[in-house]
């Protein structure tokens, strides 16, 4: 009976419902990255002091659109679908020959928790809790960093976490450059020009995303070394820091275009991802 129950659960995890909610999740993820990229472009060239270029800013931006509340409910449910799919991967393994490795399943479990949080924050905002989904990532990052730095060994914890984010950023960028995403897409079903376009979006978008992660991790390491929580930065201040380089706003604009590309790449995943 136990084996039969596991078999039913595994078939359900690979069935049409989970397939549909996973693809909805990629659409939702794409919406967030498109909006963050657009907000970053706005910061680069026009209204630097306005809306945050992070998930909270994206949620607030969407809420201001016509039928914004309906769009927020749809976005939150789509992200909940992503969480459900990641849970199925954690329980039964990812697609592919090595999808049942413990490391892969653990990664899916961590992503499940992340998307649960993101989905909840968007749905809570849609339900009227405006402090939930639109909170500043910069303030949240500084508050969490300050609390951890006050713990015994807090500096080491923050430094290790920051170093982990740096490594994750490098890993994301390198995998994008090496086109590791090919093995997760149904490339044979794409027309040639579409395949070329998705290739560009995957490389550009993944590299930009990896750079943002890596720089944010570097700021966390600096906060630990200096024992200064204000050195830690969320996505918004991380993106704004690119304007303080010799390239000025142009580097931020380049990263912003990359984030938009990753949003479009997420939509391509919604269509051609192996789930």
């Amino acid at each position: 009976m136990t084996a039969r129950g596991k078999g039913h659960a595994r078939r359900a995890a690979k069935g049409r419902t989970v397939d549909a909610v996973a693809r909805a999740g990629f659409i939702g993820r794409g919406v967030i990255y498109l909006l963050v990229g657009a907000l970053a472009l706005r910061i680069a060239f026009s209204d630097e002091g306005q809306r945050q270029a992070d998930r909270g800013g994206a949620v607030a931006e969407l809420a201001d659109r016509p039928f914004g509340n309906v769009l927020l409910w749809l976005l939150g449910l789509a992200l909940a679908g992503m969480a459900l799919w990641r849970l199925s991967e954690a329980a039964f393994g990812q697609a592919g020959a090595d999808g049942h490795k413990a490391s892969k399943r653990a990664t899916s479990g961590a992503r499940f928790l992340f998307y649960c949080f993101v989905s909840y924050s968007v749905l809570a905002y849609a339900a009227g809790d405006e402090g939930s989904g639109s909170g500043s990532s910069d303030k949240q990052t500084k508050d969490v960093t300050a609390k951890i730095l006050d713990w015994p060994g807090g500096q080491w914890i923050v430094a290790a976490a920051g170093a982990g984010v740096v490594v994750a950023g490098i890993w994301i960028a390198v995998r994008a450059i090496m086109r590791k995403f090919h093995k997760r897409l149904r490339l044979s079903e794409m027309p040639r020009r579409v395949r070329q376009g998705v290739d560009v979006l995957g490389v550009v978008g993944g590299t930009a995303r990896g750079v943002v992660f890596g720089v944010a991790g570097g700021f966390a390491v600096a906060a630990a070394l200096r024992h200064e929580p204000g050195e830690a930065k969320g996505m918004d201040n991380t993106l704004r820091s690119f304007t303080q380089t010799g390239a000025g706003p142009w580097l931020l604009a380049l990263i912003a275009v990359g984030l938009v590309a990753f949003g479009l790449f997420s939509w391509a995943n919604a269509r051609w991802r192996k789930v």
Side-chain angles (χ1 to χ4, degrees):
M1 291 292 289
T2 302
R4 185 180 301 173
K6 288 182 178 179
H8 285 311
R10 186 173 289 104
R11 284 191 294 273
K14 302 300 181 182
R16 292 183 179 179
T17 300
V18 173
D19 181 275
V21 297
R23 299 189 190 286
F26 280 111
I27 293 173
R29 188 182 74 174
V31 168
I32 289 178
Y33 272 96
L34 281 166
L35 290 173
V36 171
L39 289 169
L41 276 173
R42 190 186 298 174
I43 288 170
F45 295 117
S46 57
D47 58 343
E48 183 177 346
Q50 297 300 315
R51 189 156 279 162
Q52 302 275 315
D54 54 19
R55 187 180 67 251
V59 168
E61 186 75 11
L62 194 62
D64 287 345
R65 302 301 99 192
F67 306 104
N69 203 54
V70 174
L71 294 175
L72 285 178
W73 280 106
L74 291 174
L75 176 61
L77 291 173
L79 294 169
M82 177 70 88
L84 178 62
W85 174 53
R86 293 303 188 184
L87 176 61
S88 74
E89 286 190 328
F92 304 109
Q94 300 179 10
D98 60 348
H100 289 274
K101 288 183 178 180
S103 59
K104 299 257 183 199
R105 294 172 70 167
T107 299
S108 292
R111 288 170 173 166
F112 160 69
L113 295 175
F114 172 75
Y115 280 107
C116 280
F117 169 76
V118 175
S119 173
Y120 170 79
S121 66
V122 174
L123 291 173
Y125 187 94
D129 182 6
E130 296 188 358
S132 177
S134 63
S136 167
S137 62
D138 301 313
K139 184 177 185 305
Q140 292 168 357
T141 300
K142 289 175 183 177
D143 289 347
V144 170
T145 303
K147 288 180 181 179
I148 296 176
L149 285 175
D150 286 338
W151 295 353
Q155 277 184 283
W156 292 104
I157 296 173
V158 173
V165 175
V166 171
V167 171
I170 295 171
W171 182 77
I172 290 169
V174 169
R175 285 179 63 84
I177 293 169
M178 295 178 66
R179 294 170 171 81
K180 292 291 188 179
F181 54 82
H182 279 183
K183 66 181 181 180
R184 299 194 179 278
L185 297 174
R186 300 195 303 271
L187 296 175
S188 62
E189 297 180 14
M190 298 180 187
R192 183 175 62 86
R193 289 189 178 181
V194 172
R195 186 167 60 250
Q196 292 172 343
V198 170
D199 222 34
V200 172
L201 293 174
V203 172
V204 173
T207 302
R209 184 170 174 247
V211 169
V212 173
F213 271 69
V215 173
F219 284 128
V221 172
L225 295 177
R226 298 173 185 174
H227 206 282
E228 178 52 62
E231 292 290 330
K233 302 181 187 296
M235 176 172 275
D236 178 70
N237 274 346
T238 297
L239 289 171
R240 291 174 191 265
S241 71
F242 290 113
T243 64
Q244 298 167 11
T245 65
W250 293 104
L251 181 56
L252 174 56
L254 182 63
I255 296 295
V257 169
L259 295 179
V260 170
F262 188 77
L264 295 173
F265 179 68
S266 293
W267 285 358
N269 273 259
R271 173 64 178 84
W272 286 290
R273 174 87 176 213
K274 297 175 184 176
V275 177

